[in-house]
Amino acid sequence: MRPLPRARRRALARRPGHSRGLLQCALAALLAASLPLWAPAASALPDDREQPIHITADTAVRDEKRGVTIYSGHVQMRQGSMELDADSLTIYHEAADADKFVARG
């Protein structure tokens, strides 16, 4: 069997997918393995839902007729291990309990 000419060997060496493929697979595997490490930062504890909600803001306006409370300016909401910082927070409530929270900023 004859060796390949030098020009052909160089062309094969520069061909995409040979040496880069292994590197790309290794990086993809590393990224996939590290994803579970980021997930706990966005998770809540099982009993967080039962904890009281504490909200601080520069201003708060409650409109009983529309069933809405609007907090604005450096809003911080805490419930158990969950924390939320926003420019504004709107809470929709039909009765005493909150039905929906919308945070912006």
Side-chain angles (χ1 to χ4, degrees):
M1 186 171 203
R2 265 182 17 194
L4 290 173
R6 185 182 301 188
R8 181 74 177 133
R9 283 186 298 212
R10 285 187 193 149
L12 286 175
R14 287 191 303 253
R15 213 165 148 194
H18 286 307
S19 61
R20 288 186 191 167
L22 182 59
L23 179 61
Q24 287 173 346
C25 287
L27 288 175
L30 180 63
L31 178 63
S34 68
L35 285 177
L37 299 175
W38 296 331
S43 318
L45 296 175
D47 64 340
D48 278 347
R49 189 172 270 238
E50 306 303 320
Q51 300 297 319
I53 298 173
H54 300 281
I55 300 173
T56 59
D58 293 341
T59 61
V61 177
R62 182 175 174 111
D63 186 339
E64 293 284 337
K65 288 184 180 180
R66 290 180 36 217
V68 66
T69 303
I70 302 170
Y71 296 90
S72 58
H74 302 99
V75 180
Q76 295 181 329
M77 185 177 88
R78 309 285 180 258
Q79 184 179 24
S81 67
M82 296 185 298
E83 299 179 3
L84 173 80
D85 295 324
D87 292 330
S88 69
L89 174 68
T90 305
I91 302 175
Y92 298 90
H93 40 83
E94 303 250 340
D97 293 333
D99 297 314
K100 181 169 110 175
F101 291 78
V102 177
R104 291 194 170 96

